[in-house]
Amino acid sequence: MIRKILAVVGGIVSGSLCIWIIESLGHYLYPLPAGIKTTDVEGFKNYVSTLPFSALLLVLIGYALGAVVSGFISTKIADDDKNRSALICGIFFLLATVYNMIMLPTPVWFWILGIAVWGLVLVGYRLALNNKRI
C-alpha cells in the first residue's frame, strides 16, 4: 500500500518537475512585461491572452513531457503491471490543467490538446513495462 502511494507521489513530483522546467524555459523566452508579477491576477491574465502560439505550444510540450515521465516513474515505483498509479497521476494533472484553463484565458485548441495530452501517462506506463522486460 505504501509503495502505491509513493508511486503516485513520485509520479506527481516528477511530472511537476518536468512541467516546471519547460515552463521556466517559456518564461525565459516570453518574459512577463515590466511591472507585472505572477501574483497580479488581472495582469497575468492579460499577459497570457497576448502570448503567441509558440508560447502556448511550449506549455503543452511541458504537459506532454510531464505526462510521459509521470506515467513512467509512477509505474516503476509501483513495480506492478497495473496502470492504476499512472492513471491517478494523469487525473491529478488533468484536474490541475482544467483549473488553470478556467482561470486563464486560453483558446479552444489549447483546451482540446490540454485535456488530451494527459492520456500520454499511458505511454509512460507502457514504456516502463517495456523497459522492465528488457
Side-chain angles (χ1 to χ4, degrees):
M1 180 66 160
I2 296 290
R3 185 178 201 93
K4 307 301 183 216
I5 292 169
L6 289 175
V8 172
V9 171
I12 289 172
V13 168
S14 62
S16 296
L17 184 61
C18 291
I19 295 167
W20 176 77
I21 289 169
I22 300 296
E23 285 190 0
S24 293
L25 174 64
H27 289 301
Y28 175 77
L29 295 173
Y30 305 99
L32 287 169
I36 295 179
K37 296 184 171 48
T38 54
T39 55
D40 175 13
V41 177
E42 288 307 314
F44 194 71
K45 283 182 179 181
N46 186 43
Y47 163 72
V48 170
S49 70
T50 63
L51 286 173
F53 171 80
S54 55
L56 295 175
L57 186 61
L58 197 56
V59 171
L60 289 174
I61 290 170
Y63 289 175
L65 179 64
V68 173
V69 168
S70 178
F72 182 88
I73 296 296
S74 65
T75 302
K76 282 300 197 181
I77 294 172
D79 197 29
D80 63 14
D81 292 341
K82 295 182 172 82
N83 63 6
R84 188 176 311 137
S85 59
L87 288 175
I88 292 170
C89 290
I91 291 167
F92 171 83
F93 283 119
L94 174 64
L95 293 174
T97 300
V98 169
Y99 174 77
N100 280 334
M101 292 187 298
I102 289 170
M103 297 305 292
L104 299 171
T106 51
V108 173
W109 67 266
F110 190 90
W111 272 82
I112 294 166
L113 293 176
I115 290 170
V117 75
W118 291 109
L120 291 175
V121 294
L122 296 176
V123 171
Y125 159 74
R126 282 292 195 192
L127 288 172
L129 291 182
N130 289 342
N131 191 351
K132 186 177 181 180
R133 294 183 186 136
I134 292 177

